[in-house]
Coordinates of all heavy atoms in Angstrom, one line a residue:
M1 N 32.8 -66.0 -0.2 CA 32.4 -64.6 -0.3 C 31.1 -64.4 0.4 O 30.2 -65.3 0.4 CB 32.3 -64.2 -1.7 CG 33.6 -64.4 -2.5 SD 34.5 -62.9 -2.4 CE 34.4 -62.3 -4.1
G2 N 30.9 -63.3 1.0 CA 29.7 -63.0 1.7 C 28.6 -62.7 0.8 O 28.7 -62.3 -0.3
D3 N 27.4 -62.9 1.3 CA 26.2 -62.6 0.6 C 26.0 -61.1 0.7 O 25.9 -60.5 1.7 CB 25.0 -63.3 1.2 CG 23.7 -63.2 0.4 OD1 23.8 -62.6 -0.7 OD2 22.7 -63.6 0.9
T4 N 25.9 -60.4 -0.5 CA 25.8 -59.0 -0.6 C 24.3 -58.5 -0.6 O 24.1 -57.3 -0.7 CB 26.5 -58.4 -1.8 OG1 26.0 -59.0 -3.0 CG2 28.0 -58.7 -1.7
R5 N 23.4 -59.4 -0.6 CA 22.0 -59.0 -0.7 C 21.6 -58.3 0.7 O 22.1 -58.7 1.7 CB 21.0 -60.2 -0.9 CG 21.2 -60.8 -2.3 CD 20.2 -61.9 -2.5 NE 20.7 -63.0 -1.6 CZ 20.1 -64.1 -1.3 NH1 18.9 -64.3 -1.9 NH2 20.6 -65.0 -0.5
R6 N 20.7 -57.4 0.6 CA 20.2 -56.7 1.8 C 19.0 -57.4 2.3 O 18.2 -57.9 1.5 CB 19.9 -55.3 1.5 CG 21.2 -54.5 1.1 CD 21.0 -53.0 1.1 NE 20.4 -52.5 2.2 CZ 21.0 -52.0 3.3 NH1 22.3 -52.1 3.4 NH2 20.3 -51.4 4.3
W7 N 18.9 -57.5 3.6 CA 17.7 -58.1 4.2 C 16.5 -57.2 3.9 O 16.6 -56.0 3.9 CB 17.9 -58.3 5.7 CG 18.9 -59.4 6.0 CD1 20.2 -59.2 6.3 CD2 18.7 -60.8 6.0 NE1 20.8 -60.4 6.5 CE2 19.9 -61.4 6.3 CE3 17.5 -61.6 5.8 CZ2 20.0 -62.7 6.5 CZ3 17.7 -62.9 6.0 CH2 18.9 -63.5 6.3
P8 N 15.3 -57.8 3.8 CA 14.1 -57.0 3.6 C 13.8 -56.1 4.8 O 14.2 -56.5 5.9 CB 13.0 -58.0 3.3 CG 13.5 -59.3 3.9 CD 15.0 -59.2 3.8
R9 N 13.2 -55.0 4.6 CA 12.9 -54.1 5.7 C 11.6 -54.5 6.3 O 10.5 -54.3 5.7 CB 12.9 -52.7 5.2 CG 12.8 -51.7 6.3 CD 12.9 -50.3 5.7 NE 12.8 -49.3 6.7 CZ 13.9 -48.9 7.4 NH1 15.1 -49.4 7.1 NH2 13.7 -48.0 8.3
W10 N 11.6 -55.1 7.5 CA 10.4 -55.6 8.1 C 9.8 -54.4 8.9 O 10.5 -53.6 9.4 CB 10.7 -56.7 9.1 CG 11.2 -57.9 8.4 CD1 12.5 -58.3 8.3 CD2 10.5 -58.9 7.6 NE1 12.6 -59.5 7.5 CE2 11.4 -59.8 7.1 CE3 9.1 -59.0 7.3 CZ2 11.0 -60.9 6.3 CZ3 8.7 -60.0 6.5 CH2 9.6 -61.0 6.0
P11 N 8.5 -54.4 9.0 CA 7.8 -53.3 9.8 C 8.2 -53.2 11.2 O 8.0 -52.2 11.9 CB 6.3 -53.5 9.5 CG 6.2 -54.8 9.0 CD 7.5 -55.3 8.5
C12 N 8.6 -54.3 11.8 CA 8.9 -54.3 13.2 C 10.3 -53.8 13.5 O 10.7 -53.6 14.7 CB 8.8 -55.7 13.8 SG 9.8 -56.9 13.1
W13 N 11.2 -53.6 12.5 CA 12.5 -53.1 12.8 C 12.4 -51.6 13.0 O 11.6 -50.9 12.4 CB 13.4 -53.4 11.6 CG 13.8 -54.8 11.4 CD1 13.5 -55.8 12.3 CD2 14.5 -55.4 10.4 NE1 14.0 -57.0 11.9 CE2 14.6 -56.8 10.7 CE3 15.0 -54.9 9.2 CZ2 15.3 -57.6 9.8 CZ3 15.7 -55.8 8.4 CH2 15.8 -57.1 8.7
P14 N 13.3 -51.1 13.9 CA 13.2 -49.6 14.2 C 13.5 -48.8 12.9 O 14.5 -49.1 12.2 CB 14.2 -49.4 15.3 CG 14.9 -50.7 15.5 CD 14.3 -51.7 14.7
Q15 N 12.8 -47.7 12.8 CA 13.1 -46.8 11.7 C 14.3 -46.0 12.1 O 14.7 -45.9 13.3 CB 11.9 -45.9 11.5 CG 10.6 -46.6 11.2 CD 10.7 -47.3 9.9 OE1 11.2 -46.8 8.9 NE2 10.1 -48.6 9.9
P16 N 14.9 -45.3 11.1 CA 16.2 -44.5 11.5 C 16.0 -43.5 12.6 O 16.8 -43.3 13.4 CB 16.5 -43.8 10.1 CG 15.9 -44.7 9.1 CD 14.7 -45.3 9.7
E17 N 14.8 -42.8 12.6 CA 14.6 -41.8 13.6 C 14.3 -42.5 15.0 O 14.6 -41.9 16.0 CB 13.4 -40.9 13.3 CG 12.1 -41.6 13.1 CD 11.8 -42.2 11.7 OE1 12.7 -42.1 10.9 OE2 10.7 -42.7 11.5
E18 N 13.8 -43.7 15.0 CA 13.7 -44.5 16.2 C 15.0 -45.0 16.8 O 15.2 -45.2 18.0 CB 12.7 -45.6 16.0 CG 11.3 -45.2 15.7 CD 10.4 -46.4 15.3 OE1 10.9 -47.3 14.7 OE2 9.2 -46.3 15.6
R19 N 15.9 -45.3 15.9 CA 17.2 -45.8 16.3 C 18.0 -44.8 17.1 O 18.7 -45.1 18.1 CB 18.1 -46.2 15.1 CG 17.6 -47.5 14.5 CD 18.6 -48.0 13.5 NE 17.8 -48.9 12.6 CZ 17.8 -48.8 11.3 NH1 18.5 -47.9 10.7 NH2 17.1 -49.6 10.5
T20 N 17.8 -43.5 16.8 CA 18.5 -42.5 17.6 C 17.9 -42.4 19.0 O 18.7 -42.2 20.0 CB 18.4 -41.1 17.0 OG1 17.0 -40.7 16.8 CG2 19.1 -41.1 15.6
N21 N 16.6 -42.7 19.2 CA 16.0 -42.7 20.5 C 16.6 -43.9 21.3 O 16.7 -43.8 22.5 CB 14.5 -42.8 20.4 CG 13.9 -41.5 19.9 OD1 14.5 -40.5 19.9 ND2 12.7 -41.6 19.4
L22 N 16.9 -45.0 20.7 CA 17.4 -46.1 21.4 C 18.8 -46.0 21.8 O 19.2 -46.6 22.8 CB 17.3 -47.4 20.5 CG 15.9 -47.8 20.1 CD1 15.9 -48.9 19.1 CD2 15.1 -48.2 21.3
T23 N 19.6 -45.1 21.2 CA 21.0 -44.9 21.5 C 21.2 -43.8 22.5 O 22.3 -43.6 22.9 CB 21.8 -44.7 20.3 OG1 21.3 -43.6 19.5 CG2 21.8 -46.0 19.4
R24 N 20.2 -43.0 22.7 CA 20.4 -41.9 23.7 C 20.6 -42.3 25.1 O 20.0 -43.3 25.5 CB 19.1 -41.0 23.7 CG 19.0 -40.1 22.4 CD 17.9 -39.2 22.6 NE 17.6 -38.6 21.3 CZ 16.4 -38.1 20.9 NH1 15.4 -38.2 21.7 NH2 16.2 -37.6 19.7
T25 N 21.4 -41.6 25.8 CA 21.7 -41.9 27.2 C 21.3 -40.7 28.0 O 21.2 -39.6 27.5 CB 23.1 -42.3 27.4 OG1 24.0 -41.2 27.0 CG2 23.5 -43.6 26.7
R26 N 21.1 -40.9 29.3 CA 20.8 -39.8 30.1 C 21.7 -39.9 31.4 O 22.0 -41.0 31.8 CB 19.3 -40.0 30.4 CG 18.8 -39.7 31.7 CD 17.3 -39.9 31.8 NE 17.0 -40.6 33.0 CZ 17.2 -40.1 34.2 NH1 17.7 -38.9 34.4 NH2 16.8 -40.8 35.3
R27 N 22.1 -38.8 31.9 CA 22.9 -38.8 33.0 C 22.1 -39.2 34.3 O 21.0 -38.9 34.4 CB 23.5 -37.4 33.3 CG 24.4 -36.9 32.2 CD 25.1 -35.6 32.6 NE 25.9 -35.1 31.5 CZ 27.1 -35.4 31.3 NH1 27.7 -36.3 32.0 NH2 27.7 -34.9 30.3
V28 N 22.8 -40.0 35.1 CA 22.2 -40.5 36.3 C 22.7 -39.7 37.5 O 23.9 -39.3 37.6 CB 22.6 -42.0 36.5 CG1 22.0 -42.5 37.8 CG2 22.1 -42.8 35.4
N29 N 21.8 -39.3 38.4 CA 22.1 -38.6 39.6 C 22.8 -39.6 40.5 O 22.1 -40.5 40.9 CB 20.9 -38.0 40.2 CG 21.1 -37.2 41.4 OD1 22.2 -37.3 42.0 ND2 20.2 -36.3 41.8
P30 N 24.1 -39.4 40.9 CA 24.7 -40.4 41.8 C 24.1 -40.6 43.1 O 24.0 -41.7 43.6 CB 26.1 -39.8 41.9 CG 26.3 -38.8 40.8 CD 25.0 -38.3 40.5
A31 N 23.5 -39.5 43.7 CA 22.9 -39.6 45.0 C 21.6 -40.4 44.9 O 21.3 -41.3 45.7 CB 22.6 -38.2 45.6
A32 N 20.8 -40.2 43.8 CA 19.6 -41.0 43.6 C 19.9 -42.4 43.3 O 19.2 -43.3 43.8 CB 18.8 -40.4 42.4
D33 N 21.0 -42.7 42.6 CA 21.4 -44.1 42.3 C 21.8 -44.8 43.5 O 21.5 -45.9 43.8 CB 22.5 -44.1 41.2 CG 22.7 -45.4 40.6 OD1 21.7 -46.1 40.3 OD2 23.8 -45.9 40.4
D34 N 22.6 -44.1 44.4 CA 23.0 -44.6 45.7 C 21.8 -44.9 46.6 O 21.7 -46.0 47.2 CB 23.9 -43.7 46.4 CG 24.5 -44.3 47.6 OD1 25.0 -45.4 47.6 OD2 24.5 -43.6 48.7
A35 N 20.8 -44.0 46.6 CA 19.6 -44.3 47.4 C 18.8 -45.5 46.9 O 18.3 -46.3 47.6 CB 18.7 -43.0 47.4
F36 N 18.8 -45.6 45.5 CA 18.1 -46.7 44.9 C 18.8 -48.0 45.3 O 18.2 -49.0 45.6 CB 18.1 -46.6 43.4 CG 17.7 -47.9 42.7 CD1 16.4 -48.4 42.7 CD2 18.7 -48.6 42.0 CE1 16.1 -49.6 42.1 CE2 18.4 -49.8 41.3 CZ 17.1 -50.3 41.4
L37 N 20.1 -48.1 45.2 CA 20.9 -49.3 45.6 C 20.7 -49.7 47.0 O 20.6 -50.8 47.4 CB 22.4 -49.1 45.2 CG 22.7 -49.0 43.7 CD1 24.1 -48.7 43.5 CD2 22.3 -50.3 43.0
Q38 N 20.7 -48.7 47.9 CA 20.4 -49.0 49.3 C 19.0 -49.5 49.5 O 18.8 -50.4 50.3 CB 20.7 -47.7 50.2 CG 22.2 -47.4 50.3 CD 22.4 -46.1 51.1 OE1 21.5 -45.6 51.7 NE2 23.6 -45.7 51.2
G39 N 18.1 -48.9 48.9 CA 16.7 -49.4 48.9 C 16.6 -50.8 48.4 O 15.9 -51.7 49.0
N40 N 17.3 -51.1 47.4 CA 17.3 -52.5 46.8 C 17.9 -53.4 47.8 O 17.5 -54.6 47.9 CB 18.0 -52.5 45.5 CG 17.5 -53.5 44.6 OD1 16.4 -54.0 44.7 ND2 18.3 -53.9 43.6
F41 N 19.0 -53.0 48.4 CA 19.7 -53.9 49.4 C 18.7 -54.2 50.6 O 18.6 -55.4 50.9 CB 20.9 -53.1 50.0 CG 21.5 -53.8 51.2 CD1 22.3 -54.9 51.0 CD2 21.3 -53.3 52.5 CE1 22.8 -55.6 52.2 CE2 21.8 -53.9 53.6 CZ 22.6 -55.1 53.4
Y42 N 18.1 -53.2 51.1 CA 17.1 -53.5 52.2 C 15.9 -54.3 51.8 O 15.4 -55.1 52.5 CB 16.7 -52.2 52.9 CG 17.8 -51.6 53.8 CD1 18.5 -50.5 53.5 CD2 18.1 -52.3 55.0 CE1 19.5 -50.0 54.3 CE2 19.0 -51.8 55.9 CZ 19.7 -50.7 55.5 OH 20.7 -50.2 56.3
L43 N 15.5 -54.1 50.5 CA 14.4 -54.8 50.0 C 14.7 -56.3 50.0 O 13.8 -57.2 50.3 CB 14.0 -54.3 48.6 CG 12.9 -55.1 47.9 CD1 11.6 -54.9 48.7 CD2 12.7 -54.6 46.5
H44 N 15.9 -56.7 49.6 CA 16.3 -58.1 49.5 C 16.6 -58.7 50.8 O 16.9 -59.9 50.9 CB 17.4 -58.2 48.5 CG 17.0 -58.0 47.1 ND1 16.2 -58.9 46.4 CD2 17.2 -57.0 46.2 CE1 15.9 -58.4 45.2 NE2 16.5 -57.2 45.1
R45 N 16.6 -57.9 51.9 CA 16.7 -58.5 53.2 C 15.4 -59.1 53.7 O 15.3 -59.7 54.7 CB 17.1 -57.4 54.2 CG 18.6 -57.0 54.0 CD 19.1 -56.1 55.0 NE 19.2 -56.8 56.3 CZ 19.3 -56.2 57.4 NH1 19.4 -54.9 57.5 NH2 19.5 -56.9 58.5
G46 N 14.3 -58.8 52.9 CA 13.0 -59.4 53.3 C 12.2 -58.4 54.1 O 12.4 -57.2 54.1
I47 N 11.3 -58.9 54.9 CA 10.4 -58.1 55.7 C 11.1 -57.2 56.7 O 10.6 -56.2 57.0 CB 9.3 -59.0 56.4 CG1 8.1 -58.2 56.8 CG2 9.9 -59.8 57.5 CD1 7.3 -57.6 55.8
R48 N 12.2 -57.7 57.2 CA 13.0 -56.9 58.1 C 13.4 -55.5 57.6 O 13.5 -54.5 58.3 CB 14.2 -57.6 58.6 CG 13.9 -58.9 59.3 CD 15.2 -59.5 59.8 NE 16.3 -59.5 58.8 CZ 16.7 -60.5 58.1 NH1 16.2 -61.7 58.2 NH2 17.7 -60.4 57.2
G49 N 13.7 -55.5 56.3 CA 14.2 -54.2 55.7 C 13.2 -53.5 54.9 O 13.6 -52.5 54.2
T50 N 12.0 -53.8 55.0 CA 11.0 -53.2 54.1 C 10.8 -51.7 54.4 O 10.8 -50.9 53.4 CB 9.6 -53.9 54.3 OG1 9.8 -55.3 54.0 CG2 8.6 -53.4 53.3
Q51 N 10.7 -51.3 55.6 CA 10.5 -49.9 55.9 C 11.7 -49.1 55.5 O 11.5 -48.0 55.0 CB 10.2 -49.7 57.4 CG 8.9 -50.4 57.9 CD 7.7 -49.9 57.1 OE1 7.6 -48.7 56.8 NE2 6.9 -50.8 56.7
Q52 N 12.9 -49.6 55.7 CA 14.1 -48.9 55.3 C 14.1 -48.7 53.8 O 14.5 -47.7 53.2 CB 15.4 -49.5 55.8 CG 15.6 -49.5 57.2 CD 15.2 -50.8 57.9 OE1 14.4 -51.5 57.4 NE2 15.8 -51.0 59.1
S53 N 13.8 -49.8 53.1 CA 13.8 -49.8 51.6 C 12.8 -48.8 51.1 O 13.1 -48.0 50.1 CB 13.6 -51.2 51.0 OG 12.2 -51.6 51.2
I54 N 11.6 -48.7 51.7 CA 10.6 -47.7 51.2 C 11.1 -46.3 51.4 O 11.0 -45.4 50.5 CB 9.3 -47.9 52.0 CG1 8.6 -49.3 51.5 CG2 8.3 -46.8 51.8 CD1 7.4 -49.7 52.4
A55 N 11.8 -46.1 52.5 CA 12.3 -44.7 52.8 C 13.4 -44.4 51.8 O 13.5 -43.2 51.2 CB 12.9 -44.6 54.2
F56 N 14.3 -45.3 51.4 CA 15.4 -45.0 50.5 C 14.8 -44.9 49.1 O 15.2 -44.0 48.3 CB 16.4 -46.1 50.5 CG 17.4 -46.0 51.6 CD1 17.5 -46.9 52.6 CD2 18.3 -44.9 51.6 CE1 18.5 -46.8 53.6 CE2 19.2 -44.8 52.6 CZ 19.3 -45.7 53.6
F57 N 13.8 -45.7 48.7 CA 13.2 -45.5 47.4 C 12.5 -44.1 47.3 O 12.6 -43.5 46.2 CB 12.2 -46.6 47.1 CG 12.8 -47.9 46.8 CD1 12.3 -49.1 47.3 CD2 13.9 -48.0 45.9 CE1 12.9 -50.3 47.0 CE2 14.5 -49.2 45.6 CZ 14.0 -50.4 46.2
K58 N 11.8 -43.7 48.3 CA 11.2 -42.4 48.3 C 12.2 -41.3 48.2 O 12.0 -40.3 47.5 CB 10.3 -42.2 49.5 CG 9.0 -43.0 49.5 CD 8.2 -42.7 50.7 CE 6.8 -43.4 50.6 NZ 6.0 -43.2 51.8
Q59 N 13.3 -41.4 48.8 CA 14.4 -40.5 48.7 C 15.0 -40.4 47.3 O 15.2 -39.3 46.8 CB 15.5 -40.8 49.7 CG 16.7 -39.9 49.7 CD 17.9 -40.4 50.6 OE1 17.7 -41.4 51.3 NE2 19.0 -39.7 50.6
A60 N 15.1 -41.6 46.7 CA 15.7 -41.6 45.3 C 14.7 -41.0 44.3 O 15.1 -40.3 43.4 CB 15.9 -43.1 44.9
I61 N 13.4 -41.2 44.5 CA 12.4 -40.6 43.7 C 12.4 -39.0 43.8 O 12.3 -38.3 42.8 CB 11.0 -41.1 43.9 CG1 10.9 -42.5 43.5 CG2 9.9 -40.3 43.3 CD1 9.6 -43.2 43.8
A62 N 12.6 -38.6 45.0 CA 12.7 -37.1 45.3 C 13.9 -36.5 44.6 O 13.9 -35.4 44.0 CB 12.7 -36.8 46.7
L63 N 15.0 -37.3 44.5 CA 16.3 -36.8 43.9 C 16.2 -36.9 42.4 O 16.8 -36.0 41.7 CB 17.5 -37.6 44.4 CG 17.8 -37.4 45.9 CD1 18.8 -38.4 46.4 CD2 18.3 -36.0 46.1
D64 N 15.7 -37.9 41.8 CA 15.6 -38.1 40.4 C 14.3 -38.8 40.0 O 14.3 -40.1 40.0 CB 16.8 -38.9 39.9 CG 16.9 -39.0 38.4 OD1 16.1 -38.4 37.7 OD2 17.9 -39.6 37.9
P65 N 13.3 -38.1 39.7 CA 12.0 -38.8 39.4 C 11.9 -39.5 38.1 O 11.0 -40.3 37.9 CB 11.0 -37.6 39.4 CG 11.8 -36.4 39.3 CD 13.2 -36.7 39.8
L66 N 12.9 -39.3 37.2 CA 12.9 -40.0 35.9 C 13.6 -41.3 35.9 O 13.7 -42.0 34.9 CB 13.5 -39.0 34.9 CG 12.8 -37.7 34.6 CD1 13.5 -36.9 33.6 CD2 11.3 -38.0 34.2
Q67 N 14.2 -41.7 37.0 CA 14.9 -43.0 37.0 C 13.9 -44.1 37.1 O 13.2 -44.3 38.1 CB 15.9 -43.0 38.2 CG 16.8 -44.2 38.2 CD 17.9 -44.1 39.3 OE1 18.0 -43.1 40.0 NE2 18.7 -45.2 39.4
A68 N 13.8 -44.9 36.1 CA 12.7 -45.8 36.0 C 12.7 -47.0 37.0 O 11.6 -47.5 37.3 CB 12.6 -46.4 34.6
E69 N 13.9 -47.4 37.4 CA 13.9 -48.5 38.3 C 13.4 -48.2 39.7 O 12.9 -49.1 40.4 CB 15.4 -49.0 38.5 CG 16.1 -49.4 37.2 CD 16.8 -48.2 36.5 OE1 16.8 -47.1 37.1 OE2 17.3 -48.4 35.4
V70 N 13.4 -47.0 40.1 CA 13.1 -46.6 41.5 C 11.6 -46.9 41.8 O 11.2 -47.5 42.8 CB 13.5 -45.2 41.8 CG1 13.1 -44.8 43.2 CG2 15.0 -45.0 41.6
P71 N 10.6 -46.4 40.9 CA 9.2 -46.7 41.2 C 8.9 -48.2 41.2 O 8.1 -48.6 42.0 CB 8.4 -45.9 40.1 CG 9.4 -44.9 39.7 CD 10.7 -45.4 39.8
A72 N 9.6 -48.9 40.4 CA 9.4 -50.4 40.4 C 9.8 -51.0 41.7 O 9.2 -51.9 42.3 CB 10.1 -51.0 39.2
G73 N 11.0 -50.5 42.2 CA 11.5 -51.0 43.5 C 10.5 -50.6 44.6 O 10.3 -51.4 45.6
L74 N 10.0 -49.4 44.6 CA 9.1 -48.9 45.6 C 7.8 -49.7 45.6 O 7.3 -50.1 46.6 CB 8.8 -47.4 45.4 CG 7.8 -46.8 46.4 CD1 8.3 -46.9 47.8 CD2 7.5 -45.4 46.0
A75 N 7.3 -50.0 44.4 CA 6.1 -50.9 44.3 C 6.3 -52.2 44.8 O 5.5 -52.8 45.5 CB 5.7 -51.0 42.8
E76 N 7.5 -52.8 44.6 CA 7.8 -54.1 45.1 C 7.9 -54.1 46.6 O 7.4 -55.0 47.3 CB 9.1 -54.6 44.5 CG 9.4 -56.1 44.9 CD 10.7 -56.6 44.2 OE1 11.2 -55.9 43.3 OE2 11.1 -57.7 44.6
A77 N 8.5 -53.1 47.2 CA 8.6 -52.9 48.6 C 7.2 -52.7 49.3 O 6.9 -53.3 50.3 CB 9.5 -51.8 49.0
L78 N 6.4 -51.9 48.6 CA 5.0 -51.7 49.2 C 4.2 -53.0 49.1 O 3.5 -53.3 50.1 CB 4.4 -50.6 48.4 CG 4.9 -49.2 48.7 CD1 4.3 -48.1 47.8 CD2 4.7 -48.8 50.1
C79 N 4.3 -53.7 48.1 CA 3.6 -55.0 48.0 C 4.1 -55.9 49.1 O 3.3 -56.6 49.7 CB 3.9 -55.7 46.6 SG 3.0 -54.9 45.3
L80 N 5.4 -56.0 49.3 CA 5.9 -56.8 50.4 C 5.4 -56.4 51.8 O 5.1 -57.2 52.6 CB 7.4 -56.8 50.3 CG 8.2 -57.8 51.3 CD1 7.8 -59.2 51.0 CD2 9.7 -57.6 51.2
A81 N 5.4 -55.0 51.9 CA 5.0 -54.5 53.2 C 3.5 -54.8 53.5 O 3.1 -55.1 54.7 CB 5.2 -53.0 53.3
F82 N 2.7 -54.8 52.5 CA 1.2 -55.0 52.7 C 0.9 -56.5 52.6 O -0.2 -56.9 53.2 CB 0.4 -54.2 51.8 CG 0.4 -52.7 52.1 CD1 1.0 -51.8 51.2 CD2 -0.1 -52.2 53.2 CE1 1.1 -50.5 51.5 CE2 0.0 -50.9 53.5 CZ 0.6 -50.0 52.7
A83 N 1.6 -57.3 52.0 CA 1.3 -58.7 51.8 C 1.7 -59.5 53.0 O 1.0 -60.5 53.4 CB 2.0 -59.2 50.5
L84 N 2.8 -59.2 53.6 CA 3.3 -60.0 54.7 C 3.1 -59.2 56.0 O 3.7 -58.2 56.2 CB 4.8 -60.3 54.6 CG 5.2 -61.1 53.3 CD1 6.7 -61.2 53.2 CD2 4.5 -62.4 53.4
P85 N 2.2 -59.7 56.9 CA 2.0 -59.0 58.1 C 3.2 -59.1 59.0 O 3.9 -60.1 59.1 CB 0.8 -59.7 58.8 CG 0.8 -61.1 58.1 CD 1.4 -60.9 56.8
V86 N 3.5 -58.0 59.7 CA 4.6 -58.0 60.6 C 4.2 -58.6 61.9 O 3.1 -58.2 62.5 CB 5.1 -56.5 60.8 CG1 6.2 -56.5 61.9 CG2 5.5 -55.9 59.5
K87 N 4.9 -59.5 62.4 CA 4.6 -60.2 63.7 C 5.0 -59.2 64.8 O 6.2 -58.9 65.0 CB 5.3 -61.5 63.8 CG 4.8 -62.3 64.9 CD 5.5 -63.7 64.9 CE 4.9 -64.6 65.9 NZ 5.4 -65.9 65.9
R88 N 4.0 -58.8 65.6 CA 4.3 -57.8 66.6 C 4.3 -58.6 68.0 O 3.5 -59.5 68.2 CB 3.3 -56.7 66.7 CG 3.2 -56.0 65.4 CD 2.4 -54.7 65.6 NE 2.0 -54.1 64.3 CZ 2.8 -53.4 63.5 NH1 4.1 -53.3 63.8 NH2 2.4 -52.9 62.4
T89 N 5.2 -58.1 68.8 CA 5.2 -58.7 70.2 C 4.2 -58.1 71.0 O 3.9 -56.9 71.0 CB 6.6 -58.5 70.8 OG1 6.9 -57.1 70.9 CG2 7.7 -59.2 70.0
P90 N 3.5 -58.9 71.8 CA 2.4 -58.3 72.7 C 3.0 -57.4 73.8 O 4.1 -57.6 74.2 CB 1.8 -59.6 73.3 CG 2.8 -60.6 73.2 CD 3.6 -60.3 72.0
K91 N 2.3 -56.4 74.1 CA 2.7 -55.5 75.1 C 2.6 -56.2 76.5 O 1.6 -56.8 76.8 CB 1.9 -54.2 75.1 CG 2.2 -53.3 73.9 CD 1.4 -52.0 74.0 CE 1.6 -51.2 72.8 NZ 0.9 -49.9 72.8
L92 N 3.6 -56.0 77.3 CA 3.5 -56.5 78.7 C 3.1 -55.4 79.6 O 3.7 -54.3 79.6 CB 4.9 -57.1 79.0 CG 5.4 -58.2 78.1 CD1 6.8 -58.6 78.5 CD2 4.5 -59.4 78.2
G93 N 2.2 -55.8 80.5 CA 1.9 -54.8 81.6 C 0.8 -53.9 81.2 O 0.1 -53.2 81.3

């Protein structure tokens, strides 16, 4: 038979009003999500895709500023862009 005692209520457990906040969902703008995924794709290509990823992340932020993953991706792309210098070919002539 199972133990019918209730566990003690610890202060770190969410309160009932906090549990409703944890279960809420929000609609995602499909165009913003697509721009985020494209930005993420170019970001993972490395330094070659940094500029494209920054452009897609900025587009996603303009479409849905509340999507939390997008500013994090933009920050990662900007860090990559400023941390790794782009090797430029010298001008001829």
Side-chain angles (χ1 to χ4, degrees):
M1 299 266 252
D3 189 7
T4 58
R5 290 181 294 172
R6 296 191 47 93
W7 289 96
R9 187 174 183 87
W10 297 102
C12 61
W13 288 354
Q15 302 298 320
E17 61 274 2
E18 295 171 329
R19 285 190 204 129
T20 58
N21 291 341
L22 295 174
T23 58
R24 286 187 192 152
T25 58
R26 140 181 138 65
R27 295 191 186 273
V28 176
N29 183 342
D33 197 41
D34 187 48
F36 166 71
L37 292 174
Q38 288 181 4
N40 209 23
F41 169 76
Y42 283 108
L43 177 64
H44 290 289
R45 291 185 69 194
I47 196 68
R48 297 182 318 254
T50 305
Q51 294 304 317
Q52 291 99 336
S53 69
I54 290 171
F56 279 116
F57 286 136
K58 286 183 177 181
Q59 178 185 356
I61 289 173
L63 292 169
D64 188 3
L66 297 178
Q67 191 173 355
E69 302 89 6
V70 180
L74 178 61
E76 188 176 352
L78 290 172
C79 286
L80 185 63
F82 290 114
L84 299 174
V86 177
K87 189 173 187 178
R88 302 194 194 286
T89 57
K91 291 184 180 180
L92 299 175

